[in-house]
Amino acid sequence: MHGFRQTHPSGGHPAGIDFNENPYIVIWEVTRACQLKCLHCRADAQNKPDPLELKPEEGKNLIDQIYDMGNPMLVFTGGDCMMREDLFDLAEYAINKGMRVSMTPSATDNVTKEKMQRAKEVGLSRWAFSLDGPTPEIHDHFRGTPGSFDLTIEKVKYLNDLNMPLQLNTVISRYNYEHLEQMAELMKELKVVMWYIFLLVPTGRGQLDACLTPAEHEKVFRWLFELSKTAPYDIKTTAAQHYRRVVFQQKARENRVNKNDGIRYEDTLTKDMASVIDGLKRAPKGVNDGNGFLFVSHTGDVMPSGLLPLVGGNVREKPLAEIYRNSPIFKDLRSPDKYKGKCGVCEFRFVCGGSRSRTYAVTGDYMDSEPFCVYIPEAMRKKESNV
């Protein structure tokens, strides 16, 4: 996956992928078991594996189906994926098919140097841990487990010793909002190749009062854009689709000053929006829940994302491709013109579209407007000025 420092400022995809047919990335929750008790846990994880989770042969069949959908990126997650006994067998099976596989285990005693070595040997493309604060006090509180910070740093050093590409995931919320500069420096010290930013979605154990305000979201996005110019790592965001709008706008401002910029976008601040909208239609479409993004639960339920808990079908009953392509939920999510409120008329709806997960968590309607976006679309501003 490329961060915004590289070639896809809109969070877009390689040319040629039709999101109506195939996803860009598939997340498979291989188990819901986990030893941690994170405050924000999407999965509301449990201590032991669910006896109903997909069996080894079902898992391989699922991998075959994913591969047949254009060979998208595959990420093993949980719970804690390390608590699945056949994890590396599944990873090796997928990698031998030519798939790009990553995993996001919890930093627990289950993660040994031997397992990291095995991951490297089978050809894992990247390893991701979560780090939600620059100090033990902040991270351990957020993760609900004393000692989690020190354990994470210890495991990261193992990965650095093995020269394994490292991604660190951070959920930005009220708990760490004031410490992002320290976090950015820590990412550099830990030699990450990617800092993956999540904006809290109040689902599972995540709470609404821990979310940032719309203005704070905007502030974080502008800060991330500036950071992306100099950081020695890539930056990618999830549940922060409106970061793509900020990238377009900031690039437009820069192009007013420097017309020789290597990445050119229509001036999104001009009064004549026709050229802007035309430019946005030509831009790579942004990955969003159910739109290039697909989540399979531990029991085979297929959802637009792990943060949007609406089931389009189950792989034990229907082929994965049929669910992704034909489920009414997924088809709705791939139709930004059907979005309600300001998202439905926003000129950025194809590259942004707002977080459908957060929208659903806050409003109960996954097609409603992103509740944490400050931007007022041009169409609404024009209508207001004509009144």
Side-chain angles (χ1 to χ4, degrees), residues 84-126:
R84 179 158 178 137
E85 292 183 0
D86 62 341
L87 178 68
F88 288 108
D89 292 337
L90 292 169
E92 191 167 20
Y93 181 80
I95 290 166
N96 285 341
K97 290 177 73 73
M99 301 180 75
R100 296 158 293 166
V101 180
S102 301
M103 60 177 66
T104 60
S106 301
T108 68
D109 289 328
N110 283 329
V111 179
T112 63
K113 199 161 190 177
E114 290 71 30
K115 287 182 180 177
M116 291 179 179
Q117 182 66 47
R118 174 84 195 280
K120 186 174 182 179
E121 288 169 359
V122 301
L124 202 73
S125 62
R126 184 174 298 164

Side-chain angles (χ1 to χ4, degrees), residues 129 228 244 253 315 360:
F129 283 127
S228 72
R244 301 166 191 161
R253 291 186 180 100
V315 295
Y360 177 74

Side-chain angles (χ1 to χ4, degrees), residues 280-301:
L280 290 172
K281 285 179 180 175
R282 293 199 308 269
K285 290 184 179 180
V287 176
N288 207 331
D289 302 328
N291 188 15
F293 195 99
L294 176 59
F295 180 91
V296 182
S297 82
H298 64 299
T299 58
D301 283 337

